[in-house]
Structures are given as C-alpha cells and as structure tokens.
Amino acid sequence: MQYVWKISGEQGEGIDSTGHIFAMNVFRNGFELATYRKYSSRIKGGNTTFEVRFSENPVFARVKKLDVLIAFDENAILVSKEQIKSSTIVIFDEQSGITDLDKVDCIKLAIPLSKIARDITGTAISKNMVSLGASIALFDGMDYSYVMDQIEKRFSKKSMEIVEKNKRAFLEGYNFAKKFLSDNSILPYKVVKGKDGVKRMIMSGNEGLAMGALAAGCKYFAGYPITPASSILEFMVKNIGNFGGVAVQTEDEISAINSVIGASLAGVRAMTATSGPGFSLMVEAIGYAYMTETPIVIANIQRGGPSTGLPTKTEDGDILMSLFLGHGDTEKIVIFPSNPYEMFVYTFQAFNLAEKYQLPVIILSDLQLGENVYTTKYIDDSLLDELKVDRGKYVDYEPNERLYRYQFTEDGISYRIIPSVKGLQFQTSGNEHNEKGFITENSSIRKKMVEKRMRKLANFNDYFFEFEDIGSNPKVAIVAYGINYHFVKEVCVEINKSEGVSFRLVKPVVLYPFPIEKMEGALEGMDNIIFVEQNYFGQLRRLYYMFGGKNKSVLINKYDGEPFFFEDLYQSIKEKLYSKV
Amino acid sequence: MTSIKQLPYEEYFLAGNGSCPGCGLTIGLRNVLKALGKNVYMVVPASCSSVVQSPFPNSSATVPLLNTPFAASAAAASGMVRALKIMGKDAVVMVWAGDGGTFDIGLATVSGAAERNEDLLYICYDNEAYMNTGGHRSSATPLGTFTGTTPTGKRENKKNVPLIMAAHGIPYVATASIAFVTDLYDKIMKAKDMKGFRYIQIYSPCTPGWLLPTEKSVESAKLAVQTGIYPLFEIEGGIFKISAPSKAYLKKEKRKPLHDYFKIQGRFKHLKEEHIKLIEQWIDQMNEEYAALDGKKIF
C-alpha cells in the first residue's frame, strides 16, 4: 500500500499548513511518509505545492502518480500533468475557473469548496478545511482525530465558535466526498495502519540539524535570512534561549560567521547556517577560522546555483567549493548527512569534530532534505547518552605546565586555551603566527606551523562511512549521498525485486577528509559503478578520481532543480546497468 | 507642488506583475518611474522587487534592469554610472533596493558610493523587514515589531539611515511615502536633475509581512505620517526641512493616536499598553528633535 496526496494552489492560500496537517495526520495513523514542497520566491501568488507520499514501508522519492489531488486553480493541474492518472481523484471547485480539466482523464470530484467555506465560517480561506475533510474521506480507515486537535489548537485562541465552525467545514467536506464515492460506486482507498510498534519521529532536515546543535550544547547561533536555511535561524531564535544560549540575526553573512568565530574564540560552541550566496560570503572567515584553529560549525543548505541561481529549488552543487574554498592551503571537515536523523546525529558530531581537530566543520545538505519532512528514526535518551560531548583539548583552567595556544605537538593539535585563563596570555591572528600566537614571518616557524596544521587530519578516521547490499553478491555499486541515497535505495530494492539484480549501495558521509580507502574497499570487485548526483559536474565522482580512485564509473545526474522521480531514476539505473563502461 | 492630475499618464512599470495584492513597493516604483521617465537604468539587489518585476512572462519594468547580488547594488551602480560617462551616455542610474539591502547587508557599499559622491539616485523602499525570505527582522524594523526572527517583538529601535546618509554630506536626502504620491513625485523630480549621490527612502507597506488587510496598505502609510512615526523630510545641501505632509504632525496634539496605526497591523498585535507608551515616548522625542532641526543646516 502506498498513496500520494497533493494539494496545490497559490502561495498565500494556506497550502503549506494544510499539507503539514495532512502529513502529521498520516503520521499519527502510523505510516511512513515523505513530503515534497514546491514554492516560489514570491510571497503571495505563484504556484505552491505540498505533496505527501505515505506507506507502511519507508518512502523517500517522488513518484509519477497521484491518488488525490486538491487543485485550487488551473496551475495546480498544469504542474501535476505528469502525475495525474485516470485513477487520480481530483478535488476542485467549479467556481475557481479550472477549465482544462475536461481534457484530463481522471476522477473529478467537484465540490463548491469556497461556497461551503463561506457559508459555514464566513471566509473562503477555510476551503482548506473543506478540501482536507474531503480528501481524508477518500481513505477508508484513516483516523482524523489529529486534524480535530489541530483545529482546536489553532483556533481556540480566537474563539470556541471558530473552532466549531472549522470542524463543521471539515466534516462537510468529509461527508460530501463520502457521498460522492457511494453515489458513483467508487471504492475508497484502503489504508491499514502500520502496527509494528516502532516509535518514529517526523521532522525536516533543518529541524534535525537545529535540534542536533542544541543537543550538542551549541550556545551561540548567528544567521542571516536566506532560503532554504531561514527556518534554522527561526528555530534557533525561538528555542536556543531555553538551552542557555543566544541566537542573533546579523546584518549579513560575513557578520554572522565572524561573530560565530568570536563566540567560539571566547569559549562556547557556536554555529551558523546559510545557503549558496551566503556561503560564498563566508569564505574569507572560514579561512581565518582554519588559520586561527577556531572550531566552528557552518551548515550550508544548498539550493540551485551559481549566484542567486534557483533560490527555491534543490541542488548539491557546492561540494567542490566546500572542500576547496579559501585561499592558501586550508582544510576543513565536510559532512553530508542523508536524512533528518543523520542531520541530528552528525550535527552533534560536527561540534565534537570541530573541537577535537580545532577547525571549521561544514555540514552540507540541500533544500530537498532541509525543508521537507520525513518519518525518521526516533531520537531517544539512549542516543543522547551515546553521543558524548567531547570538547577536545579545551583549557579553561590554570594548567600546571607551560602551554602555548599553538604549541607544536605530535598530532598537530595544541591545547585550546581560551582567553582570560589565569597564567596564560591569549593571542591569535589570521597572520602566520608562532606558538604563542604572535605574528611572525620567520621561514622556519612558518614551515613548522603549516606542517603542524596539516598533521591534524593526517590520521583522521571518523568517516561515518556506510555501505549495504541489496541482494547477494552484488556486482553493481551505486554511490550516492544526502537524501538521494534513500531515493536510490528505494529504486534498487524495486529493481532487485523485479529483475533480480543485486546492488551495493555506498554512502559516503564525511566528504573531507575524502574516504578514498573506504570507497576503494567498498567498490572492490564491482563490475559497474554508478554515481548518482544532483549537480552537473558529478562533483563527488570528480573528487573520487581527484583523490586517487582507480575504478571506472558512470554518472547519473540531475541539475534542473527538481528532485529525482522514482520512475526516472529507475529507468536511468536500468539503462546504466547494461551499458558498458 | 504637482497635483495628482498633473502626474504623467505614461506607465513604465506595468500591471500584471508578481506583487502581492496591496503591495506598497509597486505603488512606489510605479510613481518613481513616472517621474524618471524612460531614460533610466535600474539596479536592484536580491529583494521582493527582483521577483516582482523580473520573472518571465510577468516582467513589468520597461527600463533596463540589472538584478545584482544582495550586498552589491550601490557598487554595481557606481561602476555603471562611470561607464556610462565614459561611453558618453546621459542617463539616470537608479538603485532600487529594499531596507535589508540598504540598512544591513548593503550599508557598506551604500556608504562607500555616497562618500565618493557617485552620480546616482539611490532609492530604498522601506517595508521594515526582509519580506522576500518570509518576514525576518532588519535594522529597519521598528521597536516592538513581530517578525519570524523577533517572535516576541523586536527589542531594538529602527536605524536612522536617512540621517546617516546625510552625515556623508551628500547633496540630497529625503524620506517619502506611498500614501503621499505627489510629495514623492516632487522629491524624485528634484533629485533627478541633481548631480552626485541622492538618497530617498520610501515608506512601503507590505500586506502579508505586516499582517495587514490588503485594502489598508495606503491607509497604514497615511497613518504612519499622521501618527508621527514616519516623518517625511528632506535634507538638501545639509539643510533639514520637514515636508508638507508631515508639517502639522510635528505637534503632539495634532497627531493621531498610535493605536489607530497599530490596530490594523497584525505585526503589532502582541504589544501591551506599556510597550505602546514606550514607543510613543520615542515618537515624541523624535518629533521634538525634528521640529528643532527644521530649517537648520545640520550637516
């Protein structure tokens, strides 16, 4: 069993909140789900869409089918053309001027949405409630008590009368659709609740990231509004105060990251979150953080680039930049989590790594994972016990021995003396400096200092690298990262079922230091290697060869700003299966 | 003073664009372009404006248009204006930027261009927050305002950028409002013929961002002047002069109650009586100061 529900209309019609309520309601019914949101840069007007795919099994990718489409206007039909099938039930209002539907082969459920809404609540905006009721009625066995709770939660501040009116609007839609089904002898979609008893969560990548930062003890967050990372800033502004921290909206990204560096130098865990254009502005500061060995965490929730690019669409085009940004010889750890749970865990780890190695850690994600909600593993106390805060060589006490901030050490990592510790003078500079932090141009110190910094990651082994096999004795390996990994997995499970092909799925998480040995290990003996990427260059594939990868491979990539459809990916992978490298 | 009937019929900023119903910036831009005519190069940073006027097929400006990075408009316009001189072309270069692009991320380049006295017209349409990202505070957001990043109301006062600009010693600074179109028109006409860096800030309500009913856009702009919260003035050659629409409201007894302004906007709904008192005190003080400056050379 798997269904796809979609609501589409103009920005400002409450599409997003209706979608969220439906998604949560589905979740409360015990299903796994994935969402897809499409929105415009505009505030009102412009098409916006909220799609929910749900099943008793894990789902991730978009599919080219719809079981229910709530279409508020003609655009909603246009943007869904690829997905409307003859079995799709399209809920629409004949008064809304949708004319194109005559030519579309589908089940048409015309409801006077606006009229019902106005008659009951006095405002046409409640057509959301009417259509939500109607769409839920199409799923036999779907409990809607969550929707009722939400109506109470949202409107009880206004008045009980408004709560009742909205409930009535919902039920009116519900009954209308039920009657439609029986009048036309159409069977409703059967849903059987998931009953595996496993606790799950529903969250977006950005929520996972923000909560992971709070769990890790992030005390200072600075950011600047930018799609699709603004939701992290909003989350932090609302919540970090409860954890003894502070979130600041600065005047630009340069200020955001430099204030994060200041906070970290003073001694607290600090981070910023941004997207492409803002990330570009942060480049100089990231170099400074490397030079001064300041632990900071930077999240880059990627959108389509370059420049302003596609502000409301997804892409993974900043991988090469993340590894190589900054002038001079610099290193930073780059992490690419694949789902909201990993966003939580690896953001937590990012703070540990930043402090352990005393350098910038970049978390890469993208709009598709950052701004969409998925069911995900439950985060419980045992996970929090497992994830220990490790502040590395942090010194906020008066030491017994003589210590310098940039002392030459075997592992290259010096004691991180914070300012104002008694007995130790604090100095730092983006200029080349000596062990005490004083500026120097002495060649031999310079040489030793570069080598000290380079020793830090020489024995790095925190790769979080994973691979898994679908079927036995796979000869085909697919390398993917981010949410695409789960898209690929879904497709491969299906190909394995229908064609009997086995796969090895390889998921690099830390992209720098590049896990070349792990990759070569996982790819050994494979006849066919496919990289699946959301950018033009095939950026991870390029890195693979840059760092000495020996195997031949092919690339499946997409750079139109839209996530992969299940069917397209299925087709592409099948084609590559039999293509000679 | 130009009367409303004397405004040109020509439209350089067309209907059918991507703005929200009741959008303030489009009222401003429409009338600014009426004053400037066709011979203008427009430079716009990342903002609502760029998505309102540039998406195909709803592009709506009929003049050359350069959409630049966020922090860059005053710099890009500086280069452009110098190049036009070299090429022997005579045209007005106008920056049309939001408050975020002016007060915050763009301030360094705005200040740099003003200090060099670049020959350009810089217009900031002030909707008092980052609206294109979904409503986040800027340093133009007034005290107490709710935004996505000030969920309990902003704690800081609005930055006084017009006075900061005037302190650069540039030839012309003015504040204007979309509710007083002829005053706006006259200010643009005056600035159009001047040389050097000219700064005009236009109060431009944002209906979704301010949680303001669509039809109350102009009304709220009018009330902003009548309650004294957004005084209109000019600083020409360093001489401060209160503009006609604001003249009467320098006196406290003439001003409309702040409540009238606040109650139509959802962004102020959470304010308690004591907060409003505080804001009122600030308005009183600002208007007293402006009354004292009126007619004087301040820079």
Side-chain angles (χ1 to χ4, degrees):
Chain A
M1 174 217 105
Q2 63 149 292
Y3 295 112
V4 186
W5 173 98
K6 176 172 177 172
I7 184 167
S8 186
E10 280 215 345
Q11 214 132 286
E13 289 189 305
I15 303 287
D16 216 52
S17 51
T18 311
H20 269 288
I21 293 176
F22 183 81
M24 273 306 292
N25 191 66
V26 162
F27 176 68
R28 287 289 164 86
N29 274 270
F31 299 111
E32 302 253 2
L33 66 92
T35 61
Y36 163 78
R37 287 168 65 199
K38 177 183 168 294
Y39 51 101
S40 320
S41 297
R42 288 157 58 182
I43 300 302
K44 276 192 183 174
N47 179 262
T48 182
T49 283
F50 199 109
E51 204 174 292
V52 183
R53 181 176 166 224
F54 62 98
S55 168
E56 68 268 32
N57 300 313
V59 285
F60 287 96
R62 287 186 78 198
V63 291
K64 285 185 185 169
K65 76 150 191 172
L66 287 175
D67 297 291
V68 177
L69 169 65
I70 301 169
F72 280 166
D73 57 20
E74 192 120 344
N75 267 333
I77 308 289
L78 278 175
V79 299
S80 311
K81 275 242 159 89
E82 257 189 311
Q83 292 172 288
I84 298 176
K85 308 286 175 213
S86 58
S87 61
T88 307
I89 301 179
V90 179
I91 296 172
F92 70 107
D93 191 339
E94 280 172 322
Q95 299 301 306
S96 62
I98 297 178
T99 52
D100 253 16
L101 211 50
D102 298 342
K103 291 169 255 161
V104 184
D105 181 20
C106 61
I107 302 169
K108 297 162 189 105
L109 170 46
I111 306 179
L113 298 170
S114 299
K115 189 182 176 296
I116 293 175
R118 262 196 307 270
D119 287 351
I120 296 176
T121 67
T123 159
I125 196 87
S126 321
K127 69 180 177 187
N128 286 320
M129 281 303 149
V130 184
S131 55
L132 189 60
S135 67
I136 287 180
L138 304 177
F139 296 98
D140 190 27
M142 174 98 70
D143 179 33
Y144 57 76
S145 52
Y146 174 80
V147 180
M148 292 294 148
D149 294 349
Q150 277 302 301
I151 292 176
E152 265 174 42
K153 211 172 140 198
R154 277 164 197 237
F155 298 112
S156 61
K157 271 177 270 168
K158 292 182 178 165
S159 78
M160 279 323 281
E161 200 193 335
I162 296 178
V163 171
E164 286 313 314
K165 281 178 174 173
N166 275 280
K167 283 184 176 175
R168 260 178 59 209
F170 176 88
L171 290 171
E172 194 77 16
Y174 189 89
N175 294 331
F176 195 103
K178 280 282 186 229
K179 186 164 181 303
F180 172 83
L181 291 176
S182 64
D183 286 356
N184 294 281
S185 317
I186 298 169
L187 286 177
Y189 301 119
K190 275 255 176 276
V191 296
V192 186
K193 281 186 196 179
K195 278 187 192 131
D196 60 2
V198 178
K199 265 185 153 180
R200 294 185 189 86
M201 295 178 98
I202 176 170
M203 62 181 174
S204 70
N206 282 356
E207 285 167 342
L209 179 135
M211 287 192 261
L214 292 178
C218 174
K219 290 284 182 281
Y220 182 82
F221 179 93
Y224 185 73
I226 189 164
T227 306
S230 298
S231 55
I232 300 171
L233 172 63
E234 289 174 20
F235 186 97
M236 286 302 201
V237 164
K238 285 195 188 103
N239 295 299
I240 201 170
N242 299 329
F243 296 83
V246 61
V248 176
Q249 185 190 321
T250 52
E251 73 276 19
D252 59 23
E253 286 91 351
I254 297 174
S255 174
I257 191 165
N258 281 293
S259 74
V260 163
I261 291 172
S264 177
L265 281 170
V268 301
R269 289 192 153 186
M271 83 170 293
T272 181
T274 186
S275 188
F279 192 58
S280 292
L281 286 178
M282 292 182 178
V283 167
E284 191 210 3
I286 295 174
Y288 174 88
Y290 173 74
M291 190 60 158
T292 57
E293 306 194 33
T294 310
I296 55 168
V297 176
I298 309 115
N300 176 5
I301 314 301
Q302 299 163 93
R303 61 192 213 185
S307 188
T308 312
L310 298 169
T312 59
K313 295 196 180 269
T314 197
E315 196 164 282
D316 299 336
D318 302 351
I319 296 173
L320 290 172
M321 180 205 181
S322 297
L323 264 77
F324 302 117
L325 61 80
H327 53 278
D329 296 311
T330 66
E331 290 188 302
K332 44 256 137 191
I333 293 169
V334 180
I335 308 180
F336 208 134
S338 79
N339 60 25
Y341 181 83
E342 285 188 7
M343 287 286 261
F344 181 91
V345 173
Y346 295 138
T347 301
F348 192 106
Q349 299 287 13
F351 281 95
N352 280 353
L353 293 174
E355 291 206 301
K356 180 174 172 187
Y357 296 104
Q358 299 177 21
L359 42 67
V361 176
I362 294 165
I363 300 168
L364 283 180
S365 186
D366 54 30
L367 185 144
Q368 183 57 27
L369 173 54
E371 292 278 85
N372 285 293
V373 296
Y374 298 88
T375 36
T376 196
K377 241 165 98 177
Y378 195 75
I379 295 167
D380 54 12
D381 291 345
S382 69
L383 173 71
L384 294 175
D385 290 342
E386 199 183 304
L387 294 167
K388 289 257 178 304
V389 169
D390 173 10
R391 302 210 62 183
K393 297 185 186 176
Y394 180 85
V395 178
D396 59 354
Y397 50 85
E398 189 178 348
N400 299 324
E401 47 186 331
R402 198 190 58 179
L403 295 177
Y404 297 132
R405 173 65 188 92
Y406 300 104
Q407 202 151 345
F408 296 124
T409 55
E410 208 172 309
D411 62 1
I413 302 163
S414 315
Y415 280 94
R416 182 163 155 239
I417 304 153
I418 61 161
S420 85
V421 167
K422 205 176 159 207
L424 298 166
Q425 200 232 334
F426 184 88
Q427 268 267 355
T428 194
S429 173
N431 290 58
E432 189 57 275
H433 38 256
N434 63 17
E435 286 181 286
K436 292 177 181 171
F438 294 108
I439 294 170
T440 180
E441 292 189 349
N442 177 303
S443 306
S444 75
I445 294 176
R446 154 73 178 179
K447 184 166 176 289
K448 278 174 82 175
M449 207 41 99
V450 170
E451 287 160 2
K452 165 193 134 57
R453 288 193 290 266
M454 290 298 167
R455 278 201 299 279
K456 293 203 289 185
L457 291 177
N459 296 313
F460 182 88
N461 202 22
D462 304 300
Y463 287 108
F464 313 125
F465 183 90
E466 284 174 36
F467 66 87
E468 62 184 310
D469 291 350
I470 310 289
S472 51
N473 292 323
K475 287 288 160 203
V476 181
I478 304 191
V479 184
Y481 49 88
I483 197 72
N484 272 345
Y485 177 82
H486 300 280
F487 288 19
V488 167
K489 186 174 166 184
E490 233 193 300
V491 169
C492 289
V493 166
E494 206 50 43
I495 298 180
N496 177 259
K497 252 190 240 165
S498 58
E499 317 252 328
V501 182
S502 298
F503 292 94
R504 171 158 294 175
L505 305 183
V506 180
K507 180 175 74 180
V509 173
V510 171
L511 304 187
Y512 194 87
F514 194 79
I516 188 64
E517 282 173 25
K518 305 251 178 210
M519 291 270 285
E520 291 301 67
L523 297 175
E524 204 185 325
M526 294 293 138
D527 294 339
N528 197 349
I529 297 166
I530 307 167
F531 282 77
V532 176
E533 306 207 37
Q534 195 90 26
N535 54 56
Y536 180 82
F537 283 145
Q539 299 197 357
L540 189 85
R541 183 165 171 261
R542 287 197 175 194
L543 287 177
Y544 170 69
Y545 292 116
M546 210 180 283
F547 286 99
K550 295 277 188 291
N551 298 287
K552 285 189 173 169
S553 68
V554 291
L555 173 67
I556 295 172
N557 61 339
K558 201 168 194 299
Y559 38 86
D560 60 357
E562 293 293 340
F564 281 101
F565 270 115
F566 179 92
E567 292 84 350
D568 294 343
L569 200 51
Y570 188 101
Q571 199 55 36
S572 303
I573 290 176
K574 259 190 74 178
E575 275 165 24
K576 299 282 184 201
L577 276 184
Y578 306 111
S579 69
K580 276 248 169 336
V581 176
Chain B
M1 195 169 167
T2 311
S3 78
I4 200 100
K5 285 186 179 162
Q6 291 169 311
L7 292 180
Y9 280 104
E10 290 80 11
E11 299 288 357
Y12 302 97
F13 180 70
L14 306 179
N17 59 65
S19 61
C20 305
C23 174
L25 86 86
T26 49
I27 301 174
L29 186 52
R30 178 182 173 206
N31 288 293
V32 164
L33 286 179
K34 273 178 187 282
L36 292 176
K38 228 177 158 42
N39 195 20
V40 57
Y41 289 65
M42 222 172 127
V43 183
V44 180
S47 61
C48 271
S49 273
S50 56
V51 293
V52 159
Q53 67 197 2
S54 289
F56 181 81
N58 303 95
S59 65
S60 50
T62 58
V63 299
L65 182 55
L66 175 68
N67 287 307
T68 73
F70 215 167
S73 281
S78 298
M80 190 171 239
V81 82
R82 301 277 181 131
L84 291 177
K85 291 250 152 75
I86 295 165
M87 294 161 80
K89 289 187 181 171
D90 187 28
V92 177
V93 175
M94 171 184 70
V95 176
W96 177 264
D99 50 289
T102 304
F103 284 55
D104 292 344
I105 191 167
L107 191 63
T109 47
V110 178
S111 173
E115 188 267 339
R116 295 189 303 272
N117 201 22
E118 299 284 357
D119 187 16
L120 58 92
L121 173 58
Y122 192 104
I123 299 183
C124 167
Y125 69 93
D126 179 8
N127 55 24
E128 308 201 311
Y130 292 85
M131 294 314 184
N132 194 30
T133 56
H136 302 104
R137 62 90 91 186
S138 76
S139 56
T141 305
L143 184 67
T145 311
F146 163 88
T147 69
T149 47
T150 51
T152 56
K154 194 185 171 219
R155 307 293 153 120
E156 301 84 10
N157 233 325
K158 189 184 178 93
K159 197 190 270 183
N160 197 333
V161 170
L163 287 191
I164 294 171
M165 293 316 296
H168 286 74
I170 54 177
Y172 189 68
V173 172
T175 58
S177 165
I178 60 119
F180 298 91
V181 169
T182 52
D183 176 73
L184 166 66
Y185 181 84
D186 287 343
K187 282 170 176 165
I188 302 290
M189 287 305 278
K190 186 189 274 184
K192 180 185 174 182
D193 295 330
M194 289 179 160
K195 291 280 163 216
F197 195 95
R198 296 139 279 162
Y199 178 85
I200 298 177
Q201 186 172 305
I202 305 174
Y203 182 87
S204 311
C206 168
T207 48
W210 294 7
L211 307 170
L212 177 71
T214 301
E215 71 280 8
K216 296 211 186 290
S217 189
V218 173
E219 186 184 330
S220 72
K222 205 169 269 177
L223 282 166
V225 169
Q226 291 167 338
T227 54
I229 198 167
Y230 210 94
L232 306 185
F233 57 82
E234 289 175 287
I235 304 168
E236 194 180 341
I239 296 167
F240 186 95
K241 189 169 157 246
I242 284 287
S243 305
S246 276
K247 202 107 204 168
Y249 307 109
L250 284 178
K251 293 203 180 68
K252 189 176 167 64
E253 60 275 18
K254 289 274 168 60
R255 291 204 282 274
K256 291 206 168 160
L258 202 49
H259 261 294
D260 295 0
Y261 177 68
F262 282 168
K263 75 179 178 212
I264 56 174
Q265 304 179 45
R267 62 174 177 155
F268 296 118
K269 215 172 68 186
H270 59 288
L271 291 182
K272 302 227 161 52
E273 213 40 58
E274 72 244 41
H275 303 133
I276 296 176
K277 277 246 152 58
L278 214 77
I279 296 168
E280 211 160 56
Q281 276 171 14
W282 170 76
I283 293 173
D284 291 350
Q285 192 192 335
M286 171 176 66
N287 279 281
E288 266 170 46
E289 284 168 9
Y290 283 175
L293 295 177
D294 197 15
K296 296 206 171 71
K297 183 157 170 56
I298 59 168
F299 289 110

